Amino acid sequence: DSIIYPFGSLAAIFYMYIAIYYSMTGNAPIFTPGTDLLKYFLPMTLSRWFMSLLCNRVVDNNDVWRAQQTWFGYAYITLLAVYEALHHRITGVEQSWANTGAGEKTSIMEIPNIITFFLMSMGVVIAIVRFYDYEDNTSPWNFVAAVFFDLFLMSQLWPMTKMSLQAFLGFDKASMTFSTNIVVSLALVGIIVFVQMW
């Protein structure tokens, strides 16, 4: 697993950009007319879920959640590391990495996470506008899927994005830390507003 793990960064980046595309355009990433999706995709997804359940049944849910956040949060850095390893293997030239802990404590490699997070945020807003103004509230299956896809990935990217924003903007840790109760309360308010407007 540790040998192929770095190449998984491509899958994480694809997930994020497919979510952005889906929420901004309303075009589902997978479209299969009829029951083809049920015949092929559903059994594969259920078997992957079952295998994951067997592997992770003794692992705490918080550990699995943090591992997912790490996978998405470090996807760009891992992809860069794969590129540099291949470059070194082919050319023999070794890249030098800067020690950000001893210097500025920021890196331009943190910017892709910030940009991706804000693109997903814009995607959620665009999906909401599209749902109410252009689709006449008639396709909630498309809207809900796109928004939840984006919100799930945003929740995965938020810890890394938050730390990067704190470092770039010079905020202290407590200024961007919310308690769970506040976030859940705001989410409930958002759901109520959505239902009322619909």
Side-chain angles (χ1 to χ4, degrees):
D1 183 51
S2 61
I3 294 172
I4 63 170
Y5 169 77
F7 296 101
S9 61
L10 264 170
I13 292 170
F14 285 150
Y15 267 116
M16 292 185 276
Y17 283 100
I18 287 170
I20 292 168
Y21 172 79
Y22 187 19
S23 61
M24 288 191 176
T25 64
N27 297 326
I30 298 173
F31 177 74
T32 55
T35 59
D36 287 344
L37 187 67
L38 287 176
K39 286 191 287 190
Y40 302 110
F41 188 68
L42 187 62
M44 191 257 322
T45 304
L46 287 174
S47 64
R48 287 182 64 193
W49 172 80
F50 183 69
M51 296 304 279
S52 178
L53 184 67
L54 289 175
C55 293
N56 295 324
R57 65 186 178 148
V58 295
V59 178
D60 186 30
N61 284 340
N62 284 335
D63 293 337
V64 174
W65 183 256
R66 296 292 179 235
Q68 289 175 349
Q69 288 176 336
T70 302
W71 186 55
F72 284 105
Y74 286 102
Y76 290 106
I77 299 293
T78 308
L79 185 63
L80 177 64
V82 167
Y83 165 75
E84 289 184 354
L86 290 173
H87 182 265
H88 170 66
R89 185 71 176 159
I90 293 168
T91 65
V93 177
E94 200 166 321
Q95 300 291 326
S96 64
W97 285 61
N99 180 1
T100 57
E104 295 288 319
K105 298 203 186 318
T106 58
S107 168
I108 60 168
M109 284 312 301
E110 297 176 53
I111 294 174
N113 279 343
I114 296 171
I115 292 171
T116 304
F117 186 85
F118 283 112
L119 284 173
M120 286 184 198
S121 302
M122 284 176 37
V124 170
V125 171
I126 289 170
I128 291 169
V129 169
R130 188 183 67 245
F131 177 71
Y132 284 118
D133 290 345
Y134 301 110
E135 297 177 0
D136 296 325
N137 307 339
T138 57
S139 59
W141 56 88
N142 201 18
F143 162 76
V144 170
V147 168
F148 276 104
F149 192 15
D150 261 357
L151 290 176
F152 171 74
L153 292 175
M154 287 171 67
S155 72
Q156 300 295 324
L157 268 183
W158 176 243
M160 183 64 77
T161 304
K162 179 180 76 166
M163 288 189 307
S164 297
L165 286 173
Q166 286 171 341
F168 279 114
L169 301 176
F171 294 154
D172 63 335
K173 182 182 182 297
S175 64
M176 294 182 71
T177 304
F178 305 111
S179 70
T180 306
N181 294 335
I182 292 173
V183 174
V184 171
S185 299
L186 289 176
L188 288 174
V189 169
I191 291 170
I192 292 169
V193 168
F194 167 71
V195 170
Q196 286 297 314
M197 290 179 68
W198 187 18

